[in-house]
Amino acid sequence: RIFVLGIGFFTLCFLMTSLGGQFSAKRPGDSPFTIRTEVMGALESRGLLRRMSDMLEMLMKRMDILARLENSTDFHKGDEARFPLDRFQPAAGLMERIQAIAQNVSDIAIKVDQILRNSLLNGKVMEGRRDQCEVPRDPKYPDCAGKVEWMRARWTSDPCYAFFGVDGTECSFLIYLSEVEWFCPPLPWRNRTVAVPSPPPPPRAQAAFQRDLAGLLELIGTGKESLSFMKKRIRHLAQQWLRAARRLEQKLQGRQRDQKQILIHIGFLTEESGDVFSPRVLKGGPLGEMVQWADILAALFMLGHSLRVTVSLKELQSHLGVPPGRGNCPLTSPLPFDLIYTDYHGLQQMKQHMGLSFKKYRCRVRVIDTFGTEPAYNHEEYATLRGYRTNWGYWNLQPTQFMTMFPHTPDNSFMGFVSEELNQTERQLIKANKVSSMAVVYGKEASIWKGKEKFLAILNKYMEIHGTVYYETQRPPEVPAFVKNHGLLPQHEFQQLLRKAKLFIGFGFPYEGPAPLEAIANGCVFLQARFNPPHSSLNHDFFRGKPTSREASVSSQHPYAEDFIGKPHVWTVDYNNSEEFEAAIKTIMRTQVDPYLPYEYTCEGMLERIHAYIQHQDFCTTSSLPPSPKTKTPAMQSPRSPLALAPNATHLVWSPSAGRAPQAWPPVGSLQVWLSQPQHTCTETCRQHGLVCEPTFFRFLNHEEVFLQLSIACDSTEYEMNHLYPAVAENVRECYLQKEPLLFSCAGHNSKYRRLCPCRDFRRGQVALCRDCL
């Protein structure tokens, strides 16, 4: 009997353990007491409970038989002395416990059966919903049906859809299109947590000017010659950056500045874009872009913002939160960066891997664009219709999101770079050691010297000529024997060469590099060729394919040096006229000049400019234009113009009676409206009046009333897409207003039109900022 009782007890324990193990099978995060139908199916659960109930019933029957045998046999009575009845009292208690367990198991079986029936019923309903969803017809989501159709045919084209739960069923399409993307309305049967008002975000950390650049050097990383070049430049200018930061901090007088989270992705250095620059760093390749990027990194870091630097596509994907796949899906979480600085290569990479999130977040992007992007090339539809489409344009960004190396087009923001500043002792030493008969040729590649024998021969009559042309095994054949070629020099040795030389001469290429400014800052005179006609995308291969026409603006190798510096530091002559060329050399040898560096190319000037951009430029909240009516009624007239005639009645200014000025940057108090002459751009028109064209002001003068204020009679007024509008065709008295804000442009001209041009003042030595813009 003891043996039978033991077997029964251990059988019961085994059954309970097995059942408990089945019931406790769970997913991470589930309660150990949660019964999941996914783990234990309906048939298996019922069978297990039934077997357990049957075995308990059989055990009870056997215990009952043993009890009857005990009461009826003489054997048990004769052995009472040896086996007292109290020895069997535990068996009676065990019987009671087994009966209680059996009853509980029976109750559990009934309850589990009910749960399983309900779960199966709900499962069938859910499966029906998953398989039988209908595409909702909601006028608020007009693209829903088309997107579902696309998903049916193409959902396997990118693994990112499966990553977000798409499995080929109609409902999975709708769930994705309503909860991950936003083309369809939310499904009513989906369990949606009630939106709880989120607490207000904590105060933003405040930016503090940095006192050490070591942290930036660590952020930049290693592994590429280009990165080593940039780090070396940052170290060389470290003391100048620190002094400039202290001066700007004093100028701002403790003004509060939110610390921005900034991603810097240098796309042209990624392996996917070819990284053509790193191998050429040591061979005289173009370094202007890397000079600019090094200075951008230093400026952003010194201003106290939080930076992340990437030069690989894998790092970019990681920082952005790109889902696995081919880049068709949105990011997995909100973008953690307030600003992203990149180039055209990086812009293309971001578009390929961010899916719909690119459109959502592109207002945070700043594109470092050496030569600029004009609005006519930036607007995709307009560029396609009018023949302005190129390999690099049509991004539909705000034109001021593009940031250039020189301020050659006000349509873009002028980013710039820095040149080394000299203290008073260094300036005096340079003037004392200048060699008036020494010239350095601008150009490190041998091809630049090809065909320049005539100029070099004239120059050689008066000056000793030095070059810095890269070569490996022998003298480059294009460099004449009378030239003293130093080969490619490190930056500090090149600076020493410029400090001795009197003349820095360019032969037409490269365009708009940093070297002429470095030469002028070291006391050289820069001599360059005048282009007649000016070079542009219409007549020169270099500009063809770039998103800028640069009509009439590239009148020399370095237009900024010609227009913003000029004589005595910069001479622009016709190289086809040998007499003019020779006369210029003679005059330059007799001319004494001091080292000169425009303020906007100092460390302080660049810090000031970038600080103003970060604080004031906001492309994520844009003001809209008034509607363009097809028919005019008194109720649909353009709003009253906030402009008024200036006292001399030659142009318009912001009216003192216009009421509260809008929150605009630059401030509207700097606005002046001038009417251009035919064939003149707004850039030229403003410059003629000592001003700068300001494209953000176009919206204030894109009104019919402005023509009347300037005494222009319009027989008709039309809204159209044209990068020359607003403008007037005087010969036919037709006036035109701009229909597309992205096409407001300071560039472009036509003999048919006189353009309305928004101009502003600017800070001395800082053309990017108006007097009250800091």
Side-chain angles (χ1 to χ4, degrees), residues 77 146 260 331 384 400 521 595 631 639 703 768:
K77 291 180 181 178
K260 304 292 186 181
L331 302 182
T384 303
T400 38
T631 58
H703 304 292

Side-chain angles (χ1 to χ4, degrees), residues 559-576:
Y560 175 85
E562 179 185 7
D563 297 333
F564 288 86
I565 301 177
K567 292 182 179 180
H569 301 280
V570 179
W571 290 63
T572 306
V573 301
D574 182 3
Y575 278 23
N576 294 321

Side-chain angles (χ1 to χ4, degrees), residues 202-208 256-261 304-306 338 615:
R204 294 288 295 266
Q206 294 299 299
Q256 294 293 300
R257 299 180 299 118
D258 288 344
Q259 186 185 60
K260 304 292 186 181
Q261 301 295 320
H305 298 292
S306 177
D338 302 302
Q615 292 298 113

